[in-house]
Amino acid sequence: MKKYILLLFLISSVCFAQKTTLYTIGDSTMANKKDPEKNPEHGWAQVLQPFFTDNLVVVNKAVNGRSTKSFINEKRWDSIYRKLRKGDYVFIEFGHNDEKIEDSTRYTNPHTSYRYNLIRFVKETRAKGATPILLTSITRRNFNEKGVLVPTHGDYPLETRLVAQEYKVPFIDLEYQTELLERSYGPEKSKELHLHFKAGENPYYDKDKADDTHLSLLGATKIAQIVINELKALEDPSLEKLKKSIK
């Protein structure tokens, strides 16, 4: 009897200690960057873990240059799907590279392949008892000469919104929220959210750098905070455990 009780206690302890995993899938705007102590570029999911308590682990599987198509074709999604457990979560944010119409390995039609790839992520995540969260792509810093922030993502954010609505998926409109962020900084100061350096200004770059897509540590951290704020505001029972893990 004592052995049985001990065994039961050990099994219960292991189950209780098992942490919830938040997988993040997407492109370079989310991805972990090499040499983070020196590299000015950061993905927003790279800085997400500090916003959560220790009982949730962020596993950032976003990769530079990937679209929904290449992420699937390279078996990256399969490797996550095999590990998904009941109670896990998956952040899904693609679009920047699905737009690359000159690249057949990455391009997807927003209304067909892109849409159905998102649906696949949603359905297969749910099939494992995990919860998908869809996010639109972050905006690019693309101000015109009049100081108007001009969108660059075409219909990809629209299709993300439609899939979220149709399949009742928790949804964060990150394109809209980052538009608000960029506009709050303005055409000039918003460079601080991205990678703008003169040659020699930062030891990581030996030439001028003017990148309005990718993020500085400041930009990545601001966007991670936006994601957390939006999560808190979502009223969806499936997010209860995730929200309780926010510091």
Side-chain angles (χ1 to χ4, degrees):
M1 176 61 80
K2 288 183 179 179
K3 288 183 179 180
Y4 174 78
I5 293 172
L6 179 60
L7 181 61
L8 187 62
F9 174 77
L10 291 172
I11 292 172
S12 299
S13 297
V14 170
C15 292
F16 182 78
Q18 195 173 57
K19 296 184 178 183
T20 300
T21 302
L22 168 60
Y23 292 95
T24 60
I25 65 173
D27 53 45
S28 56
T29 62
M30 299 172 76
N32 294 337
K33 309 302 175 183
K34 294 179 180 178
D35 203 6
E37 297 301 319
K38 297 178 181 178
N39 188 350
E41 183 181 346
H42 291 71
W44 67 259
Q46 181 179 0
V47 299
L48 198 57
Q49 181 67 67
F51 290 92
F52 291 98
T53 60
D54 291 340
N55 60 354
L56 181 137
V57 179
V58 176
V59 177
N60 187 10
K61 291 295 186 177
V63 183
N64 291 3
R66 269 53 180 190
S67 67
T68 58
K69 180 179 182 179
S70 60
F71 200 85
I72 290 170
N73 287 347
E74 292 172 7
K75 307 297 183 184
R76 295 179 185 276
W77 171 243
D78 287 347
S79 69
I80 296 166
Y81 176 75
R82 287 194 297 268
K83 295 175 184 177
L84 273 177
R85 301 189 313 262
K86 183 178 181 180
D88 286 341
Y89 294 89
V90 183
F91 278 173
I92 305 161
E93 187 221 328
F94 286 95
H96 278 86
N97 297 301
D98 287 83
E99 304 166 18
K100 308 286 187 180
I101 198 166
E102 73 284 354
D103 186 347
S104 63
T105 66
R106 293 189 287 178
Y107 175 73
T108 60
N109 181 321
H111 306 297
T112 55
S113 298
Y114 178 73
R115 168 183 168 80
Y116 285 100
N117 288 342
L118 293 183
I119 293 170
R120 174 179 174 178
F121 293 144
V122 167
K123 286 185 172 181
E124 293 187 357
T125 297
R126 285 175 167 170
K128 285 296 195 81
T131 301
I133 298 100
L134 284 170
L135 304 92
T136 47
S137 301
I138 67 168
T139 194
R140 289 187 174 94
R141 179 187 167 275
N142 187 42
F143 290 94
N144 67 16
E145 66 280 357
K146 300 293 185 181
V148 175
L149 187 67
V150 180
T152 65
H153 293 314
D155 288 339
Y156 293 91
L158 171 62
E159 283 299 339
T160 306
R161 294 181 184 104
L162 291 173
V163 170
Q165 183 179 49
E166 182 177 348
Y167 287 85
K168 295 179 173 55
V169 183
F171 170 68
I172 296 174
D173 200 342
L174 205 49
E175 182 190 41
Y176 172 62
Q177 295 297 330
T178 54
E179 284 176 359
L180 295 179
L181 176 66
E182 298 281 353
R183 292 205 297 263
S184 73
Y185 272 69
E188 187 59 32
K189 192 173 175 58
S190 58
K191 290 178 181 178
E192 296 175 9
L193 303 171
H194 299 277
L195 304 170
H196 282 259
F197 301 98
K198 296 293 184 184
E201 185 179 352
N202 187 292
Y204 206 80
Y205 301 114
D206 58 3
K207 298 178 182 178
D208 287 356
K209 183 76 171 178
D211 183 338
D212 293 316
T213 297
H214 299 100
L215 302 166
S216 65
L217 177 58
L218 173 66
T221 305
K222 290 286 185 182
I223 292 173
Q225 182 66 70
I226 287 171
V227 170
I228 294 299
N229 292 344
E230 291 298 297
L231 270 179
K232 289 178 179 178
L234 287 173
E235 296 181 0
D236 190 310
S238 67
L239 300 177
E240 182 178 358
K241 186 166 58 171
L242 182 61
K243 291 167 73 172
K244 284 182 176 178
S245 298
I246 297 172
K247 288 181 178 177

